[in-house]
Amino acid sequence: MRLTALLSMAAKAAFPHDYRYGTNRPWTIAAQRLNPPGKKRRKVFVEPIANEDWHVVRGDTVEILSGKDKGKQGKVAQVIRHRNWVILEGLNTHYRYIGRSGDYRGTYIASEAPLLLKDVTLVDPTDRKPTDIEWRYTEEGERVRVSVRTGRIIPKPVFQRKDGIIPQQWKDGPKDTSPEDTLQKTYTPSLKTLEEDVMEKMNIQEDRRPRKSYWY
Amino acid sequence: MSAAVASRLTAVCRQFQRVLTVSSHTQTQYATRAFSTFHSCQQSRMYDSWCFRSPMNNRAVHTSCVRKGLEEFFDLPENWGEQTVKSGAPWTAKQLRVKSNEDLHKLWYVFLKEKNMLLTLEQEAKRQRLPMPSPERLKKVERSMKRLDTVVEEREDSLRLLQTGQERGRPGEWRRNVFGKTFWYRFREHPIPWYLNSRYKRRRFFEPSHVAPYTRLSLEKYLRSKIRKEKREKRNQKSLAAMFPKKTALASDH
């Protein structure tokens, strides 16, 4: 048990307390190059926002309040909670060369810079204007985002999986279990351990008795 | 008597040869299919050396490789050579909790075989220096197995608590080691009682008298570090609050 605990500890990604989170995912080579183990960088202060107060989700339409693309609306492509960052598609971009090797200068692409949460607001879908947001409870007890200006509920965007699978259109493969088989209930609670239950079902007779052993 | 034995032996040998010829014939078929795929594993190479050299010579004695069940170490033949293989979502603990013990037992071995297949595939891909097709399948299987283990542990825990009131499956107790530290000592199973176990008697589960003053000092150190940590946390929260003042409803963005 201690070995598995050790293995699981090693498997879980551990970061130093002053790790600086960037736009690259921590397991990529670029992030490892920017944050080698012994490096100490100037500390960035991140406003502490509780999980309940965070109101921007990937796929939301937001408007930028300050910066180069002030006043423009865009869809959220990525949210980085460690730095309170929001990356929009195609907005707040700077240009750089990528994939240069030898003499070839590389491809000139636009890469988005992250925006702080306080520099963006959600957009009311009905009148497409920026608005302040509050978390309120509906009659049913559901916690929803409500725009303060109009009082309308802002629905959560449809969650799109990164691998492009749409659960409603999924076709099971030969090794997949069908939903009916998966949800079929076969468990009857009983005072039998798994081993006893399985031995009964497989008609295994265990007549041997364990030798007396001492636990200390 | 010896003639009868001899005739029986020849009959057995003829049967044996027939079995061998049949098996070698099917082996060649398997080898032709396996040879054209992306991983030419040890198995197919062995077939290659054995069968391709003399496909027509069925009279010679071949020792057939035992193929029984080894195909389960490999994926379905239609997935051979693909770059990506479609796979569904892993089992969740909620779905596993409604299954009976027998179902869970069978499912564990299904997971195990699938995991062995994927690990073989991974190793072969490393050997061929090619990317493994859909490595997320391995993660899904491992997570499903972990969740199954969690469900079984839950059931065992609840039964044990109900019947005996013991919180832990493995017995243990709080003991003090030579350095004065109190720790949870987990019992081990022995064939002989402790008073006959000389190695166990040499272990000291008490602190000597010259170590006693240090227990108090280390406790003080631990308490001081805990208070320091709490104070540091509070100081950090205060400085963050000063850096990011909470805006009132009037001072909103627009």
Short mmCIF file of all heavy atoms in Angstrom, two decimals, chain B residues 151-200:
data_model
loop_
_atom_site.label_atom_id
_atom_site.label_comp_id
_atom_site.label_asym_id
_atom_site.label_seq_id
_atom_site.Cartn_x
_atom_site.Cartn_y
_atom_site.Cartn_z
N VAL B 151 -14.31 1.18 -5.48
CA VAL B 151 -15.66 0.68 -5.17
C VAL B 151 -15.57 -0.57 -4.29
O VAL B 151 -16.30 -0.71 -3.30
CB VAL B 151 -16.43 0.39 -6.48
CG1 VAL B 151 -17.68 -0.40 -6.21
CG2 VAL B 151 -16.77 1.69 -7.16
N VAL B 152 -14.64 -1.48 -4.65
CA VAL B 152 -14.51 -2.71 -3.85
C VAL B 152 -14.04 -2.38 -2.44
O VAL B 152 -14.53 -2.95 -1.46
CB VAL B 152 -13.54 -3.68 -4.56
CG1 VAL B 152 -13.16 -4.81 -3.66
CG2 VAL B 152 -14.16 -4.21 -5.83
N GLU B 153 -13.12 -1.42 -2.34
CA GLU B 153 -12.63 -1.00 -1.01
C GLU B 153 -13.76 -0.42 -0.19
O GLU B 153 -13.87 -0.68 1.00
CB GLU B 153 -11.54 0.06 -1.19
CG GLU B 153 -10.15 -0.45 -0.96
CD GLU B 153 -9.13 0.67 -1.00
OE1 GLU B 153 -9.32 1.67 -0.29
OE2 GLU B 153 -8.16 0.52 -1.74
N GLU B 154 -14.61 0.39 -0.83
CA GLU B 154 -15.76 0.98 -0.12
C GLU B 154 -16.65 -0.10 0.45
O GLU B 154 -17.09 -0.03 1.59
CB GLU B 154 -16.59 1.82 -1.11
CG GLU B 154 -16.16 3.23 -1.26
CD GLU B 154 -16.93 3.94 -2.35
OE1 GLU B 154 -17.98 3.43 -2.79
OE2 GLU B 154 -16.46 5.00 -2.78
N ARG B 155 -16.92 -1.13 -0.39
CA ARG B 155 -17.82 -2.19 0.06
C ARG B 155 -17.20 -2.95 1.23
O ARG B 155 -17.88 -3.25 2.22
CB ARG B 155 -18.09 -3.17 -1.09
CG ARG B 155 -19.00 -2.57 -2.14
CD ARG B 155 -19.44 -3.57 -3.18
NE ARG B 155 -20.13 -2.89 -4.26
CZ ARG B 155 -20.51 -3.49 -5.38
NH1 ARG B 155 -20.27 -4.77 -5.57
NH2 ARG B 155 -21.12 -2.80 -6.31
N GLU B 156 -15.88 -3.21 1.11
CA GLU B 156 -15.20 -3.94 2.19
C GLU B 156 -15.20 -3.12 3.48
O GLU B 156 -15.44 -3.66 4.56
CB GLU B 156 -13.75 -4.21 1.79
CG GLU B 156 -13.56 -5.44 0.98
CD GLU B 156 -12.09 -5.68 0.64
OE1 GLU B 156 -11.21 -4.98 1.18
OE2 GLU B 156 -11.85 -6.56 -0.19
N ASP B 157 -14.93 -1.82 3.33
CA ASP B 157 -14.88 -0.92 4.50
C ASP B 157 -16.22 -0.90 5.21
O ASP B 157 -16.28 -1.01 6.44
CB ASP B 157 -14.55 0.51 4.05
CG ASP B 157 -13.06 0.73 3.95
OD1 ASP B 157 -12.32 -0.13 4.42
OD2 ASP B 157 -12.66 1.78 3.41
N SER B 158 -17.31 -0.78 4.42
CA SER B 158 -18.63 -0.66 5.04
C SER B 158 -18.98 -1.96 5.76
O SER B 158 -19.50 -1.93 6.88
CB SER B 158 -19.68 -0.32 4.00
OG SER B 158 -19.63 -1.23 2.95
N LEU B 159 -18.65 -3.10 5.14
CA LEU B 159 -18.95 -4.39 5.78
C LEU B 159 -18.17 -4.55 7.08
O LEU B 159 -18.70 -4.98 8.10
CB LEU B 159 -18.61 -5.52 4.81
CG LEU B 159 -19.17 -6.87 5.15
CD1 LEU B 159 -20.68 -6.81 5.08
CD2 LEU B 159 -18.64 -7.93 4.23
N ARG B 160 -16.90 -4.15 7.02
CA ARG B 160 -16.06 -4.32 8.20
C ARG B 160 -16.53 -3.41 9.33
O ARG B 160 -16.59 -3.81 10.48
CB ARG B 160 -14.61 -4.02 7.83
CG ARG B 160 -13.61 -4.40 8.90
CD ARG B 160 -12.21 -4.01 8.53
NE ARG B 160 -12.13 -2.61 8.19
CZ ARG B 160 -11.77 -2.16 7.00
NH1 ARG B 160 -11.43 -2.99 6.04
NH2 ARG B 160 -11.72 -0.87 6.76
N LEU B 161 -16.86 -2.17 8.98
CA LEU B 161 -17.35 -1.23 10.00
C LEU B 161 -18.63 -1.73 10.63
O LEU B 161 -18.83 -1.64 11.84
CB LEU B 161 -17.59 0.15 9.38
CG LEU B 161 -16.37 1.04 9.22
CD1 LEU B 161 -16.72 2.24 8.35
CD2 LEU B 161 -15.87 1.52 10.56
N LEU B 162 -19.50 -2.28 9.79
CA LEU B 162 -20.77 -2.77 10.29
C LEU B 162 -20.57 -3.95 11.22
O LEU B 162 -21.16 -4.02 12.30
CB LEU B 162 -21.64 -3.19 9.10
CG LEU B 162 -23.10 -3.47 9.37
CD1 LEU B 162 -23.78 -2.18 9.74
CD2 LEU B 162 -23.76 -4.08 8.17
N GLN B 163 -19.72 -4.89 10.80
CA GLN B 163 -19.62 -6.14 11.55
C GLN B 163 -18.65 -6.06 12.72
O GLN B 163 -18.86 -6.70 13.73
CB GLN B 163 -19.20 -7.27 10.60
CG GLN B 163 -20.29 -7.59 9.62
CD GLN B 163 -19.96 -8.82 8.80
OE1 GLN B 163 -18.81 -9.02 8.44
NE2 GLN B 163 -20.95 -9.61 8.51
N THR B 164 -17.56 -5.30 12.57
CA THR B 164 -16.59 -5.27 13.65
C THR B 164 -16.36 -3.88 14.24
O THR B 164 -15.85 -3.77 15.34
CB THR B 164 -15.22 -5.78 13.17
OG1 THR B 164 -14.81 -4.94 12.08
CG2 THR B 164 -15.31 -7.21 12.68
N GLY B 165 -16.69 -2.83 13.50
CA GLY B 165 -16.41 -1.49 14.00
C GLY B 165 -14.97 -1.06 13.80
O GLY B 165 -14.58 0.02 14.24
N GLN B 166 -14.16 -1.89 13.12
CA GLN B 166 -12.76 -1.52 12.87
C GLN B 166 -12.72 -0.57 11.70
O GLN B 166 -13.31 -0.83 10.66
CB GLN B 166 -11.94 -2.77 12.50
CG GLN B 166 -11.92 -3.85 13.55
CD GLN B 166 -11.06 -3.46 14.72
OE1 GLN B 166 -10.13 -2.69 14.57
NE2 GLN B 166 -11.39 -3.97 15.89
N GLU B 167 -11.95 0.53 11.88
CA GLU B 167 -11.86 1.50 10.77
C GLU B 167 -10.87 1.05 9.72
O GLU B 167 -11.00 1.38 8.55
CB GLU B 167 -11.42 2.85 11.31
CG GLU B 167 -12.55 3.59 11.98
CD GLU B 167 -12.02 4.46 13.11
OE1 GLU B 167 -10.80 4.63 13.20
OE2 GLU B 167 -12.85 4.94 13.88
N ARG B 168 -9.82 0.35 10.16
CA ARG B 168 -8.78 -0.05 9.21
C ARG B 168 -8.81 -1.56 9.01
O ARG B 168 -9.05 -2.32 9.94
CB ARG B 168 -7.42 0.34 9.74
CG ARG B 168 -7.09 1.80 9.55
CD ARG B 168 -5.80 2.10 10.26
NE ARG B 168 -6.03 2.96 11.39
CZ ARG B 168 -5.67 4.25 11.42
NH1 ARG B 168 -5.09 4.80 10.40
NH2 ARG B 168 -5.91 4.97 12.49
N GLY B 169 -8.50 -1.99 7.80
CA GLY B 169 -8.46 -3.42 7.51
C GLY B 169 -7.24 -4.08 8.11
O GLY B 169 -7.25 -5.23 8.53
N ARG B 170 -6.14 -3.32 8.17
CA ARG B 170 -4.90 -3.89 8.68
C ARG B 170 -4.69 -3.39 10.10
O ARG B 170 -4.74 -2.19 10.34
CB ARG B 170 -3.76 -3.43 7.79
CG ARG B 170 -2.45 -4.00 8.20
CD ARG B 170 -1.44 -3.77 7.12
NE ARG B 170 -0.10 -4.04 7.65
CZ ARG B 170 1.00 -4.00 6.93
NH1 ARG B 170 0.93 -3.67 5.66
NH2 ARG B 170 2.16 -4.25 7.48
N PRO B 171 -4.44 -4.27 11.06
CA PRO B 171 -4.29 -3.82 12.45
C PRO B 171 -3.01 -3.01 12.64
O PRO B 171 -2.04 -3.15 11.92
CB PRO B 171 -4.24 -5.12 13.25
CG PRO B 171 -3.82 -6.15 12.28
CD PRO B 171 -4.29 -5.73 10.94
N GLY B 172 -3.06 -2.13 13.62
CA GLY B 172 -1.91 -1.30 13.93
C GLY B 172 -2.16 -0.57 15.23
O GLY B 172 -3.22 -0.70 15.83
N GLU B 173 -1.19 0.20 15.67
CA GLU B 173 -1.38 1.03 16.87
C GLU B 173 -0.36 2.15 16.88
O GLU B 173 0.62 2.14 16.15
CB GLU B 173 -1.28 0.18 18.13
CG GLU B 173 0.09 -0.39 18.33
CD GLU B 173 0.14 -1.33 19.54
OE1 GLU B 173 -0.92 -1.66 20.11
OE2 GLU B 173 1.26 -1.73 19.88
N TRP B 174 -0.64 3.13 17.72
CA TRP B 174 0.27 4.26 17.88
C TRP B 174 1.44 3.82 18.76
O TRP B 174 1.25 3.28 19.82
CB TRP B 174 -0.45 5.43 18.55
CG TRP B 174 -1.46 6.08 17.67
CD1 TRP B 174 -2.80 5.92 17.72
CD2 TRP B 174 -1.18 6.97 16.58
NE1 TRP B 174 -3.39 6.67 16.73
CE2 TRP B 174 -2.43 7.32 16.03
CE3 TRP B 174 -0.03 7.51 16.02
CZ2 TRP B 174 -2.56 8.19 14.94
CZ3 TRP B 174 -0.15 8.37 14.93
CH2 TRP B 174 -1.40 8.70 14.41
N ARG B 175 2.63 4.04 18.28
CA ARG B 175 3.81 3.67 19.08
C ARG B 175 4.80 4.80 19.01
O ARG B 175 4.76 5.65 18.14
CB ARG B 175 4.46 2.41 18.52
CG ARG B 175 3.70 1.17 18.89
CD ARG B 175 4.46 -0.07 18.59
NE ARG B 175 3.59 -1.22 18.76
CZ ARG B 175 3.94 -2.46 18.47
NH1 ARG B 175 5.13 -2.70 17.98
NH2 ARG B 175 3.11 -3.45 18.66
N ARG B 176 5.76 4.75 19.94
CA ARG B 176 6.79 5.78 20.01
C ARG B 176 8.10 5.14 19.58
O ARG B 176 8.45 4.09 20.08
CB ARG B 176 6.88 6.23 21.46
CG ARG B 176 7.64 7.48 21.67
CD ARG B 176 7.17 8.10 22.92
NE ARG B 176 6.22 9.12 22.58
CZ ARG B 176 6.04 10.21 23.32
NH1 ARG B 176 6.66 10.35 24.44
NH2 ARG B 176 5.19 11.12 22.95
N ASN B 177 8.82 5.76 18.67
CA ASN B 177 10.09 5.15 18.25
C ASN B 177 11.25 5.69 19.07
O ASN B 177 11.06 6.50 19.99
CB ASN B 177 10.30 5.33 16.74
CG ASN B 177 10.55 6.76 16.36
OD1 ASN B 177 10.64 7.65 17.21
ND2 ASN B 177 10.67 6.99 15.06
N VAL B 178 12.46 5.24 18.75
CA VAL B 178 13.63 5.55 19.58
C VAL B 178 13.90 7.05 19.63
O VAL B 178 14.49 7.55 20.57
CB VAL B 178 14.90 4.87 19.03
CG1 VAL B 178 15.93 4.74 20.13
CG2 VAL B 178 14.57 3.53 18.47
N PHE B 179 13.45 7.76 18.59
CA PHE B 179 13.72 9.19 18.52
C PHE B 179 12.66 10.01 19.22
O PHE B 179 12.68 11.23 19.15
CB PHE B 179 13.83 9.62 17.05
CG PHE B 179 14.79 8.79 16.27
CD1 PHE B 179 14.34 7.92 15.30
CD2 PHE B 179 16.15 8.84 16.54
CE1 PHE B 179 15.23 7.13 14.60
CE2 PHE B 179 17.03 8.05 15.84
CZ PHE B 179 16.58 7.19 14.87
N GLY B 180 11.71 9.34 19.88
CA GLY B 180 10.68 10.06 20.60
C GLY B 180 9.48 10.43 19.76
O GLY B 180 8.58 11.11 20.23
N LYS B 181 9.45 10.00 18.48
CA LYS B 181 8.34 10.39 17.60
C LYS B 181 7.22 9.36 17.73
O LYS B 181 7.46 8.15 17.71
CB LYS B 181 8.80 10.40 16.13
CG LYS B 181 9.80 11.48 15.83
CD LYS B 181 9.09 12.76 15.42
CE LYS B 181 10.05 13.89 15.16
NZ LYS B 181 10.94 14.21 16.27
N THR B 182 6.00 9.85 17.82
CA THR B 182 4.83 8.96 17.85
C THR B 182 4.38 8.74 16.43
O THR B 182 4.23 9.70 15.66
CB THR B 182 3.70 9.61 18.65
OG1 THR B 182 4.25 10.20 19.83
CG2 THR B 182 2.67 8.58 19.06
N PHE B 183 4.17 7.48 16.05
CA PHE B 183 3.77 7.18 14.68
C PHE B 183 2.82 5.99 14.68
O PHE B 183 2.73 5.25 15.67
CB PHE B 183 4.99 6.89 13.81
CG PHE B 183 5.72 5.63 14.17
CD1 PHE B 183 5.61 4.50 13.37
CD2 PHE B 183 6.51 5.56 15.31
CE1 PHE B 183 6.26 3.34 13.70
CE2 PHE B 183 7.17 4.39 15.63
CZ PHE B 183 7.05 3.27 14.83
N TRP B 184 2.09 5.82 13.58
CA TRP B 184 1.15 4.70 13.47
C TRP B 184 1.93 3.50 12.97
O TRP B 184 2.34 3.43 11.82
CB TRP B 184 0.01 5.04 12.50
CG TRP B 184 -0.95 3.92 12.36
CD1 TRP B 184 -1.05 3.06 11.33
CD2 TRP B 184 -1.97 3.52 13.29
NE1 TRP B 184 -2.05 2.15 11.55
CE2 TRP B 184 -2.63 2.41 12.75
CE3 TRP B 184 -2.37 4.01 14.53
CZ2 TRP B 184 -3.68 1.76 13.40
CZ3 TRP B 184 -3.43 3.36 15.18
CH2 TRP B 184 -4.06 2.26 14.61
N TYR B 185 2.11 2.51 13.84
CA TYR B 185 2.86 1.32 13.48
C TYR B 185 1.90 0.29 12.91
O TYR B 185 0.93 -0.09 13.55
CB TYR B 185 3.56 0.76 14.72
CG TYR B 185 4.23 -0.57 14.49
CD1 TYR B 185 5.38 -0.66 13.72
CD2 TYR B 185 3.70 -1.73 15.02
CE1 TYR B 185 5.99 -1.87 13.49
CE2 TYR B 185 4.31 -2.96 14.80
CZ TYR B 185 5.45 -3.02 14.04
OH TYR B 185 6.05 -4.21 13.81
N ARG B 186 2.15 -0.11 11.67
CA ARG B 186 1.26 -1.08 11.04
C ARG B 186 1.76 -2.50 11.33
O ARG B 186 2.92 -2.81 11.10
CB ARG B 186 1.23 -0.85 9.52
CG ARG B 186 0.33 0.31 9.16
CD ARG B 186 0.80 1.03 7.93
NE ARG B 186 0.27 0.42 6.73
CZ ARG B 186 1.01 -0.06 5.75
NH1 ARG B 186 2.32 -0.03 5.81
NH2 ARG B 186 0.46 -0.57 4.70
N PHE B 187 0.89 -3.35 11.84
CA PHE B 187 1.30 -4.70 12.20
C PHE B 187 1.66 -5.51 10.98
O PHE B 187 1.13 -5.30 9.89
CB PHE B 187 0.17 -5.41 12.95
CG PHE B 187 -0.03 -4.91 14.34
CD1 PHE B 187 -1.11 -5.36 15.08
CD2 PHE B 187 0.83 -4.00 14.92
CE1 PHE B 187 -1.32 -4.92 16.37
CE2 PHE B 187 0.63 -3.55 16.21
CZ PHE B 187 -0.46 -4.01 16.93
N ARG B 188 2.54 -6.48 11.20
CA ARG B 188 2.90 -7.41 10.15
C ARG B 188 2.55 -8.82 10.61
O ARG B 188 2.48 -9.09 11.81
CB ARG B 188 4.40 -7.32 9.87
CG ARG B 188 4.76 -6.06 9.12
CD ARG B 188 6.22 -5.83 9.14
NE ARG B 188 6.91 -6.84 8.35
CZ ARG B 188 8.22 -6.95 8.33
NH1 ARG B 188 8.97 -6.16 9.06
NH2 ARG B 188 8.79 -7.87 7.59
N GLU B 189 2.39 -9.70 9.63
CA GLU B 189 1.99 -11.06 9.96
C GLU B 189 3.24 -11.90 10.21
O GLU B 189 4.17 -11.88 9.40
CB GLU B 189 1.19 -11.66 8.80
CG GLU B 189 0.34 -12.82 9.23
CD GLU B 189 -0.58 -13.28 8.11
OE1 GLU B 189 -0.40 -12.79 6.98
OE2 GLU B 189 -1.45 -14.11 8.37
N HIS B 190 3.26 -12.62 11.34
CA HIS B 190 4.41 -13.47 11.66
C HIS B 190 3.94 -14.86 11.99
O HIS B 190 2.84 -15.05 12.49
CB HIS B 190 5.15 -12.90 12.87
CG HIS B 190 5.62 -11.49 12.69
ND1 HIS B 190 6.89 -11.17 12.28
CD2 HIS B 190 4.98 -10.31 12.88
CE1 HIS B 190 7.00 -9.86 12.23
NE2 HIS B 190 5.87 -9.31 12.58
N PRO B 191 4.78 -15.86 11.76
CA PRO B 191 4.39 -17.23 12.13
C PRO B 191 4.61 -17.54 13.62
O PRO B 191 4.06 -18.51 14.13
CB PRO B 191 5.29 -18.09 11.25
CG PRO B 191 6.49 -17.24 10.99
CD PRO B 191 6.05 -15.82 11.04
N ILE B 192 5.42 -16.73 14.30
CA ILE B 192 5.74 -17.03 15.71
C ILE B 192 5.33 -15.83 16.55
O ILE B 192 5.29 -14.70 16.07
CB ILE B 192 7.24 -17.30 15.90
CG1 ILE B 192 8.07 -16.23 15.18
CG2 ILE B 192 7.60 -18.68 15.40
CD1 ILE B 192 9.53 -16.31 15.45
N PRO B 193 5.00 -16.05 17.81
CA PRO B 193 4.62 -14.92 18.68
C PRO B 193 5.81 -14.01 18.94
O PRO B 193 6.97 -14.40 18.76
CB PRO B 193 4.13 -15.59 19.96
CG PRO B 193 4.68 -16.95 19.91
CD PRO B 193 4.88 -17.33 18.50
N TRP B 194 5.53 -12.77 19.41
CA TRP B 194 6.57 -11.76 19.53
C TRP B 194 7.62 -12.14 20.55
O TRP B 194 8.80 -11.80 20.39
CB TRP B 194 5.96 -10.40 19.87
CG TRP B 194 5.40 -10.30 21.26
CD1 TRP B 194 4.14 -10.58 21.65
CD2 TRP B 194 6.12 -9.89 22.42
NE1 TRP B 194 4.01 -10.37 22.98
CE2 TRP B 194 5.20 -9.96 23.49
CE3 TRP B 194 7.44 -9.49 22.67
CZ2 TRP B 194 5.56 -9.63 24.79
CZ3 TRP B 194 7.80 -9.16 23.97
CH2 TRP B 194 6.86 -9.24 25.02
N TYR B 195 7.24 -12.88 21.59
CA TYR B 195 8.24 -13.18 22.63
C TYR B 195 9.23 -14.24 22.18
O TYR B 195 10.21 -14.49 22.86
CB TYR B 195 7.56 -13.58 23.94
CG TYR B 195 6.43 -14.56 23.79
CD1 TYR B 195 6.68 -15.93 23.77
CD2 TYR B 195 5.12 -14.12 23.68
CE1 TYR B 195 5.64 -16.82 23.63
CE2 TYR B 195 4.07 -15.02 23.54
CZ TYR B 195 4.34 -16.37 23.52
OH TYR B 195 3.31 -17.25 23.38
N LEU B 196 8.97 -14.88 21.03
CA LEU B 196 9.94 -15.82 20.48
C LEU B 196 10.73 -15.23 19.33
O LEU B 196 11.66 -15.85 18.82
CB LEU B 196 9.23 -17.08 19.97
CG LEU B 196 8.47 -17.89 21.01
CD1 LEU B 196 7.72 -19.03 20.32
CD2 LEU B 196 9.41 -18.46 22.05
N ASN B 197 10.36 -14.00 18.91
CA ASN B 197 10.98 -13.39 17.74
C ASN B 197 12.12 -12.50 18.23
O ASN B 197 11.91 -11.40 18.72
CB ASN B 197 9.92 -12.55 17.01
CG ASN B 197 10.37 -12.16 15.63
OD1 ASN B 197 11.55 -12.18 15.32
ND2 ASN B 197 9.41 -11.79 14.81
N SER B 198 13.38 -12.98 18.07
CA SER B 198 14.51 -12.24 18.64
C SER B 198 14.74 -10.92 17.92
O SER B 198 15.09 -9.91 18.53
CB SER B 198 15.78 -13.09 18.58
OG SER B 198 15.94 -13.60 17.27
N ARG B 199 14.50 -10.90 16.60
CA ARG B 199 14.73 -9.68 15.84
C ARG B 199 13.73 -8.60 16.25
O ARG B 199 14.07 -7.43 16.38
CB ARG B 199 14.62 -9.95 14.34
CG ARG B 199 15.41 -8.97 13.58
CD ARG B 199 15.82 -9.26 12.17
NE ARG B 199 15.47 -10.49 11.58
CZ ARG B 199 14.65 -10.60 10.54
NH1 ARG B 199 14.06 -9.55 10.02
NH2 ARG B 199 14.40 -11.79 10.02
N TYR B 200 12.49 -9.02 16.52
CA TYR B 200 11.48 -8.05 16.93
C TYR B 200 11.79 -7.52 18.32
O TYR B 200 11.57 -6.36 18.62
CB TYR B 200 10.10 -8.73 16.90
CG TYR B 200 8.97 -7.84 17.34
CD1 TYR B 200 8.43 -6.88 16.48
CD2 TYR B 200 8.45 -7.93 18.63
CE1 TYR B 200 7.41 -6.05 16.89
CE2 TYR B 200 7.42 -7.11 19.04
CZ TYR B 200 6.91 -6.18 18.16
OH TYR B 200 5.89 -5.35 18.58
#
